[in-house]
Amino acid sequence: MADASDADVDPDRWSAELESKRAEKDEFFADHPQSPIPPDERDEFSGLDYFEPDPDYRVTATVEVHDDPEVVLMETTAGREMRYLRTATLEFELVRDDPDLQDGTFELGAYEIERQSDEPLFIPFRDKTTGQQTYRGGRYMELAPDRDLETDDEIVVDFNLAYTPFCAFSETFDCPLPPEENWLDAAIPAGERFESN
């Protein structure tokens, strides 16, 4: 699998690509008609807030594929429920130099909307930054493997790509909230910040 290993990743190139993606997203938020920033606030928008790129949060996860996926009902910010299928569980390890940050082995569910299996895997999560340094409703990641995953595959999960759902910027959006099984008992200071909670 093309994204299964970090062995050949050039850290400078990785960081430059990440910064380029962030600049591109800021441009979208500032100018695009589909930006979640309300039109009357776009002139004042000066860019999203991010944690510094940190390769410690680019982790290799071991995949467990669920051949008979369970339905998971996710509540939304508008009080509805959305039906997802838990199609895989990703197990990964966090090892950091900071004694104030909890290390260990963690799991995240990866989901697909029912009857939309061609979409990227959806990984909503909360962590110990939620509601403090990041949006109170949690953050999202997406994974688009280059082939169907199998149990015991390894895949890179880059928390530096974790993003804030659109509903944080406008109540016109209705966003699924991470299920309790994806509440991480660790701080993940990577990806997008959002302090106006």
Side-chain angles (χ1 to χ4, degrees):
M1 181 172 296
D3 55 0
S5 173
D6 267 346
D8 300 321
V9 172
D10 179 299
D12 292 332
R13 181 178 173 185
W14 167 80
S15 182
E17 288 177 353
L18 182 62
E19 295 289 7
S20 176
K21 287 178 183 175
R22 291 178 171 183
E24 186 177 322
K25 184 165 185 179
D26 282 346
E27 186 175 333
F28 172 88
F29 269 52
D31 300 325
H32 199 279
Q34 293 181 330
S35 167
I37 304 295
D40 59 349
E41 297 177 17
R42 289 178 196 166
D43 286 346
E44 299 177 6
F45 177 72
S46 58
L48 295 168
D49 194 11
Y50 298 95
F51 292 100
E52 288 296 316
D54 189 339
D56 282 351
Y57 294 101
R58 181 180 166 87
V59 300
T60 299
T62 302
V63 178
E64 178 187 357
V65 172
H66 304 299
D67 294 327
D68 186 18
E70 280 186 54
V71 172
V72 176
L73 298 176
M74 295 190 198
E75 294 183 16
T76 74
T77 51
R80 299 188 306 118
E81 282 187 336
M82 293 183 67
R83 291 173 65 90
Y84 284 82
L85 297 177
R86 186 195 308 107
T87 54
T89 298
L90 309 177
E91 182 179 283
F92 61 94
E93 190 174 4
L94 284 177
V95 179
R96 299 168 288 191
D97 294 331
D98 190 334
D100 294 330
L101 296 175
Q102 182 177 343
D103 293 340
T105 301
F106 302 92
E107 289 186 350
L108 283 172
Y111 309 90
E112 294 174 350
I113 294 179
E114 271 194 313
R115 297 178 292 280
Q116 292 188 21
S117 59
D118 56 339
E119 293 292 311
L121 291 172
F122 176 52
I123 305 173
F125 72 98
R126 293 172 58 104
D127 67 283
K128 288 190 172 181
T129 71
T130 300
Q132 299 176 59
Q133 296 166 289
T134 60
Y135 176 54
R136 67 178 183 271
R139 290 182 289 165
Y140 297 165
M141 292 186 293
E142 292 173 355
L143 289 179
D146 55 12
R147 63 169 172 79
D148 288 343
L149 292 174
E150 299 177 3
T151 293
D152 294 330
D153 277 345
E154 292 187 336
I155 189 167
V156 169
V157 176
D158 191 346
F159 285 97
N160 293 277
L161 300 176
Y163 65 93
T164 304
F166 278 10
C167 52
F169 305 97
S170 171
E171 292 182 357
T172 61
F173 295 92
D174 185 18
C175 304
L177 297 168
E180 192 167 346
E181 64 192 19
N182 273 23
W183 295 10
L184 296 175
D185 189 26
I188 309 287
E192 290 183 18
R193 299 167 62 108
F194 190 89
E195 297 193 23
S196 298
N197 289 291

